[in-house]
Amino acid sequence: MDPVIVVGAGPVGLSLSLALAGSGVPCVVLDEGPGKEESRPARTVVLHSDTAAMAHRLGCTTLRDEGAYYAAWRTLRRGRDTQRVTFEDHPAPLHLPQHALTRGLRDAAAAHPLVQLVADSKLDSLEQDGRGVTAHTKGAATTWWRGSYLVGCDGARSTVRKLIGIRFPGRTAVERHAVAALRTELPWPGEALLYRRAPDEVTARPLPDGVWRLDWLLPPRGELVTPEALVTLIRDTLAAWCGGTTPPYDLIDTGVHTLHHRLARRWRDGRAFLAGDAAHLLGALGTQGVEEGLRDAENLAWRLAVAWHQGASEALLDGYEDERRRAVAARLRAADQAMPALRGGSGLRTYLPGAARSAESLLTDGHLGRGPLGAAPTYGPPVAVREVPTATEPGGPVENVAVTAPDGATVPLRDLLGRGRLLVLLVAPGTGVWDRRHWLGAGLMPRLAAAVSALPVRAELLVADSYPGAPAHTVLLVRPDGHLAATFAGVRPAELYEAADSVRAGAPDSAASRTPALAPAAPSPTPATTPSGAPSGTPSSTPSSTPSSTPSGRPTT
């Protein structure tokens, strides 16, 4: 099997490549840029519990070193506190510069033997056939690449999206924000805040070392923001927050951020897929485009891993677009419904059924990853098996409980996601204090272990002392991306097998993916191999006396 080609080396492309590599799938990451990140402290990203856990699992060390967790979220209206949210009962959001996230993921990718990073490589053509994808890049070297699949993570102006002819409709300039990163002291150390005083709306988010990112909502069609106007905004805002006197501050970075809302018509064309900003743009009302892109990567990676290792049905690969496009569309729809109320001064009740909540509460949900504007998505369950209700709805993200694997290691559940395999979790109170050799051969475990080994896809058996809302002897089937597929009362081998088969959407089709009707059936150049024999993802030809041919008949380099 040829490697997976990932076009784009931003957070989404790097996360996808690491998630695939973690499942044993080699990847080539084609980076149009020079292979390093420009430092922009005013361009940041907020990660909530599921995406922060994903980045940590992929080996991104900058989360710890360069990110800051909110101590609380505070809402001010005309200088008075109207709401303060703390995080005793659920994880706080993590705020860090986007270049730090990208650098941490790039370092992890560079250290992984199954990921090949290729800088200064701009995609300019791609062709598909029944066996894979052939891509051509220009830059430092003009090269043909051969892959089993190709994923466009190449941003809002995606070359992949244009080459496969997918439309990208939506709304332009939904919101504009002036942005500044500065070092100063505010009255609320470590707390993020939303300040509203009509017509002004300002957010402040903490970063390490006393740095803050401030965002000012601008009129949608206002004048350009001059440096002088931005300094005035900074001084007036800090004075309003600090008793009428502007405190000392060190201005580090500035910018103007224009938000668009767009959604690609399709996210798959045969063996080519779209993810991240190439597939969607969003960001108004506190929503997070980068975070949704990371969720794209996690959802797509396990499907491609199954396809690469075992073959996949069309339904499994189509499920990526079905789930992720629907989730992002719901996010965009919620923002569009709320926008007139929040920005136009109308009552919320007209736009949001049952919404007697204040505008501040609705915006808080977007910023804190709650409700229709921010909560992690729940996908339609693949099989109607819910014999045991739990605190997690079918299709929802599982709780990060402590689990024990058969090797005796006890780790958070989310640390075991993203390896291209299902997780089967038995709730067995008391196993945490028993030695492994006692519980592994006792009770339900032998029969459950046999059922797991007989599943049609790779799976790992785990146990937990408890799971929220689940009684003893509940069995949970968890997808590789951490979404709950089914629950059972005890060991039910036939039903467990059926549920696992539904997760993989049935047996692999005769063709691993849909071949476009007009795609040329080209000869496949032979990929280079690593010393271990696995495809390395190097250019599609290797030095030989007879160069292999590209689909256009030209010799490869």
Side-chain angles (χ1 to χ4, degrees):
M1 285 288 288
D2 293 322
V4 173
I5 299 173
V6 177
V7 183
V12 178
L14 293 168
S15 295
L16 177 62
S17 67
L18 285 166
L20 286 167
S23 300
V25 179
C27 301
V28 178
V29 182
L30 302 179
D31 184 0
E32 183 178 338
K36 58 182 180 180
E37 284 64 54
E38 177 188 5
S39 178
R40 289 299 310 273
R43 188 180 186 188
T44 63
V45 60
V46 177
L47 302 180
H48 297 100
S49 59
D50 61 322
T51 49
M54 176 189 177
H56 173 76
R57 186 172 65 247
L58 296 177
C60 181
T61 60
T62 52
L63 302 183
R64 178 188 64 249
D65 301 331
E66 301 181 49
Y69 288 95
Y70 295 172
W73 173 271
R74 183 183 297 268
T75 303
L76 302 176
R77 185 176 181 86
R78 297 183 179 180
R80 296 182 178 180
D81 284 352
T82 60
Q83 186 181 29
R84 185 173 183 271
V85 178
T86 57
F87 303 102
E88 289 86 359
D89 299 328
H90 56 281
L94 174 66
H95 184 221
L96 76 162
Q98 185 168 319
H99 68 259
L101 173 65
T102 307
R103 175 164 33 83
L105 293 170
R106 186 186 293 275
D107 290 346
H112 202 294
L114 292 181
V115 180
Q116 181 181 4
L117 300 172
V118 186
D120 194 19
S121 294
K122 179 176 175 56
L123 180 75
D124 61 3
S125 70
L126 67 88
E127 297 172 347
Q128 300 188 54
D129 56 55
R131 294 169 295 178
V133 181
T134 303
H136 183 266
T137 58
K138 60 182 181 181
T142 300
T143 310
W144 287 96
W145 303 85
R146 182 67 178 176
S148 53
Y149 299 93
L150 181 144
V151 186
C153 305
D154 48 344
R157 295 181 174 86
S158 170
T159 300
V160 173
R161 189 184 64 241
K162 294 172 184 176
L163 289 175
I164 58 181
I166 294 179
R167 294 181 57 200
F168 198 38
R171 299 171 57 198
T172 299
V174 175
E175 287 187 349
R176 288 196 315 146
H177 292 259
V179 184
L182 52 89
R183 183 176 286 104
T184 190
E185 291 188 12
L186 295 182
W188 317 280
E191 297 188 12
L193 65 104
L194 169 67
Y195 174 83
R196 300 189 89 217
R197 181 174 183 176
D200 299 327
E201 180 177 301
V202 189
T203 57
R205 304 182 184 93
L207 289 165
D209 302 323
V211 177
W212 296 82
R213 168 175 165 165
L214 273 61
D215 290 65
W216 293 265
L217 179 67
L218 299 173
R221 293 177 178 82
E223 298 179 354
L224 294 176
V225 180
T226 64
E228 293 78 11
L230 183 56
V231 169
T232 299
L233 281 175
I234 294 171
R235 296 181 63 85
D236 290 349
T237 299
L238 295 181
W241 292 349
C242 301
T245 302
T246 302
Y249 67 90
D250 178 18
L251 185 58
I252 300 171
D253 189 24
T254 63
V256 174
H257 186 34
T258 301
L259 299 170
H260 312 285
H261 279 182
R262 296 188 178 276
L263 188 64
R265 292 288 191 192
R266 294 178 291 115
W267 291 21
R268 180 191 177 197
D269 182 75
R271 291 176 174 267
F273 298 81
L274 301 176
D277 285 355
H280 51 75
L281 294 177
L282 72 166
L285 308 184
T287 56
Q288 290 282 320
V290 170
E291 185 166 61
E292 292 300 329
L294 297 182
R295 290 170 177 152
D296 295 344
E298 189 162 42
N299 189 291
L300 180 57
W302 74 268
R303 300 173 189 275
L304 291 181
V306 171
W308 200 89
H309 287 292
Q310 300 174 258
S313 66
E314 290 294 334
L316 179 66
L317 297 177
D318 285 341
Y320 163 66
E321 177 181 324
D322 293 342
E323 291 184 349
R324 288 302 304 148
R325 191 177 188 279
R326 184 180 295 113
V328 174
R331 194 84 80 215
L332 289 170
R333 184 165 54 251
D336 285 343
Q337 289 174 334
M339 192 80 71
L342 295 175
R343 303 302 185 225
S346 304
L348 292 174
R349 199 177 297 275
T350 303
Y351 299 95
L352 299 176
R357 304 154 59 193
S358 68
E360 286 85 359
S361 295
L362 190 63
L363 285 168
T364 294
D365 279 355
H367 285 288
L368 297 187
R370 309 184 308 193
L373 288 176
T378 295
Y379 304 128
V383 55
V385 177
R386 194 192 180 199
E387 294 183 343
V388 184
T390 70
T392 302
E393 290 294 318
V398 293
E399 298 289 335
N400 196 26
V401 299
V403 298
T404 304
D407 65 1
T410 299
V411 296
L413 177 57
R414 286 180 179 165
D415 284 3
L416 300 177
L417 301 176
R419 296 188 291 180
R421 65 184 68 178
L422 301 177
L423 301 179
V424 179
L425 176 63
L426 171 66
V427 179
T431 53
V433 298
W434 283 52
D435 188 272
R436 169 180 172 269
R437 67 177 180 272
H438 295 303
W439 59 257
L440 194 58
L444 302 177
M445 285 299 293
R447 188 164 176 243
L448 182 57
V452 170
S453 66
L455 293 179
V457 289
R458 295 184 301 169
E460 183 173 0
L461 176 59
L462 310 168
V463 295
D465 273 341
S466 63
Y467 188 89
H473 303 155
T474 297
V475 175
L476 295 85
L477 180 65
V478 182
R479 296 187 344 178
D481 59 352
H483 287 259
L484 181 62
T487 60
F488 306 91
V491 180
R492 307 284 294 275
E495 289 83 351
L496 183 61
Y497 185 99
E498 179 185 358
D501 192 53
S502 296
V503 170
R504 68 164 182 166
D509 297 331
S510 56
S513 69
R514 182 183 300 110
T515 303
L518 300 180
S524 173
T526 303
T529 57
T530 63
S532 63
S536 68
T538 53
S540 60
S541 68
T542 55
S544 64
S545 58
T546 305
S548 56
S549 298
T550 66
S552 60
R554 297 184 298 274
T556 58
T557 59

